[in-house]
Short mmCIF file of all heavy atoms in Angstrom, two decimals:
data_model
loop_
_atom_site.label_atom_id
_atom_site.label_comp_id
_atom_site.label_asym_id
_atom_site.label_seq_id
_atom_site.Cartn_x
_atom_site.Cartn_y
_atom_site.Cartn_z
N SER A 59 -28.92 35.79 14.33
CA SER A 59 -29.26 36.30 15.62
C SER A 59 -30.82 36.63 15.59
O SER A 59 -31.42 36.86 14.63
CB SER A 59 -28.51 37.63 15.91
OG SER A 59 -29.02 38.26 17.07
N THR A 134 -47.97 52.50 19.36
CA THR A 134 -47.74 50.99 19.79
C THR A 134 -48.95 50.55 20.50
O THR A 134 -49.49 49.42 20.13
CB THR A 134 -46.46 50.93 20.70
OG1 THR A 134 -45.37 51.31 19.97
CG2 THR A 134 -46.36 49.45 21.19
N PRO A 253 -39.19 75.01 35.33
CA PRO A 253 -39.03 74.25 36.58
C PRO A 253 -40.22 73.19 36.85
O PRO A 253 -39.94 72.23 37.54
CB PRO A 253 -39.26 75.35 37.73
CG PRO A 253 -38.73 76.67 37.05
CD PRO A 253 -39.23 76.46 35.63
N VAL A 367 -42.65 77.68 14.01
CA VAL A 367 -42.10 76.52 13.30
C VAL A 367 -43.26 75.67 12.86
O VAL A 367 -42.99 74.73 12.00
CB VAL A 367 -41.30 75.70 14.29
CG1 VAL A 367 -40.09 76.42 14.67
CG2 VAL A 367 -42.06 75.26 15.50
#
Side-chain angles (χ1 to χ4, degrees):
S59 173
T134 297
V367 297

